[in-house]
Amino acid sequence: MDHRTVLALYDRDMREGALPDGPGARVERAGAVVRQVAGAEGWNGVVWSGLDEATADRAIAEQTAFFAAHGREFEWKLYGHDLPSDLGDRLTAAGFVPEPEETLMVAETARLSLDAGPPDGVRVVPATDRAGIELVVDVHEKAFGTDGAPLRHRLLSRLAEQPDSVVAMVALAGDQPVSAARVELVPGAAFAGLWGGGTVRGWRGRGVYRALVAHRARVAAAHGCRYLQVDASPMSRPILERLGFQALSTTTPYLSPR
């Protein structure tokens, strides 16, 4: 993989040329910043910026004022290759709080082994209705220890209004949900995003996450997506590397001042 070329394609199509990630959201360009504006339960944030040392502080202040005027907390999603090189320090100085860094990982769909199945006694089923989404949210809350209400809202809205844009799935051991994930599809884009992969304690290290990656890769391949993209945690990165994913950059969410 030509890392520089693929990263430039990702920046162009998935960040600078981003599309709204769900119903009711809009993506707009404000000078050298691309941001998404959504409702209170949607994702609000900066997805791309083309800044330098002379323009960064003003852009940070402008985006902070914009979202504050709309009554929205927001996230500045900073990538390791974004400029200026001290943009993270500037965000921190402006009161933003960084969350843990993750690794932007990409794989070519055609080069992945897609035959990994779940362990014995586990089956993967699609989450296509409210009951299925509740299982996904249940896993999310147990695996990550966070409130699943925003995820519930986004998934139900997308299934109702944009059903071809997301495929959610849950791994069941009997009737017990033990892992869940989703793949997000952007019309005409070369990249499909793998999101939300989480496994409850007691089922980690048994191949369930790997099986969900393979399952989502098959979905993406069927939709003609050339690449798969993941924001990988330190826990998932080694698994993804063994599957053939390569690190292109890092990504750190900076949460706006409250």
Side-chain angles (χ1 to χ4, degrees), residues 109-258:
T109 309
R111 294 179 177 272
L112 292 177
S113 174
L114 304 181
D115 57 356
D120 291 343
V122 175
R123 69 188 192 279
V124 177
V125 299
T128 58
D129 56 16
R130 178 175 288 273
I133 296 304
E134 290 299 335
L135 294 177
V136 171
V137 172
D138 178 69
V139 170
H140 180 88
E141 292 182 331
K142 291 177 179 175
F144 300 111
T146 56
D147 180 14
L151 175 63
R152 178 186 294 109
H153 172 78
R154 290 198 299 271
L155 288 178
L156 289 175
S157 296
R158 293 181 72 165
L159 287 178
E161 300 183 40
Q162 299 172 344
D164 295 333
S165 69
V166 62
V167 177
M169 59 200 68
V170 61
L172 298 172
D175 294 329
Q176 177 188 3
V178 298
S179 188
R182 67 188 187 276
V183 55
E184 297 189 357
L185 306 162
V186 179
F191 294 86
L194 305 189
W195 298 97
T199 303
V200 301
R201 292 185 182 277
W203 281 92
R204 296 171 184 170
R206 299 168 67 173
V208 184
Y209 177 80
R210 178 188 176 98
L212 287 181
V213 171
H215 192 99
R216 287 178 288 170
R218 290 193 291 270
V219 171
H223 283 80
C225 299
R226 181 175 179 182
Y227 299 104
L228 299 172
Q229 170 263 319
V230 185
D231 289 351
S233 70
M235 182 182 298
S236 59
R237 177 173 176 170
I239 302 171
L240 294 166
E241 287 177 332
R242 290 194 293 271
L243 291 172
F245 283 77
Q246 299 180 40
L248 295 189
S249 187
T250 60
T251 177
T252 304
Y254 280 77
L255 305 183
S256 61
R258 294 177 181 244

Side-chain angles (χ1 to χ4, degrees), residues 23-159:
R26 69 181 188 273
V27 172
E28 54 192 27
R29 184 158 189 155
V33 167
V34 174
R35 65 194 178 206
Q36 175 168 295
V37 185
E41 294 184 296
W43 185 85
N44 290 271
V46 171
V47 296
W48 176 89
S49 64
L51 304 172
D52 57 29
E53 293 180 355
T55 59
D57 290 337
R58 183 173 70 250
I60 292 170
E62 289 173 349
Q63 296 311 307
T64 301
F66 172 84
F67 282 103
H70 287 74
R72 297 284 184 266
E73 296 179 357
F74 74 104
E75 174 186 311
W76 192 300
K77 192 163 186 181
L78 178 69
Y79 288 75
H81 59 286
D82 287 346
L83 298 175
S85 58
D86 64 348
L87 185 53
D89 292 336
R90 292 171 185 262
L91 288 165
T92 300
F96 286 73
V97 178
E99 292 200 321
E101 179 183 275
E102 295 183 318
T103 303
L104 172 65
M105 304 192 74
V106 171
E108 292 189 65
T109 309
R111 294 179 177 272
L112 292 177
S113 174
L114 304 181
D115 57 356
D120 291 343
V122 175
R123 69 188 192 279
V124 177
V125 299
T128 58
D129 56 16
R130 178 175 288 273
I133 296 304
E134 290 299 335
L135 294 177
V136 171
V137 172
D138 178 69
V139 170
H140 180 88
E141 292 182 331
K142 291 177 179 175
F144 300 111
T146 56
D147 180 14
L151 175 63
R152 178 186 294 109
H153 172 78
R154 290 198 299 271
L155 288 178
L156 289 175
S157 296
R158 293 181 72 165
L159 287 178

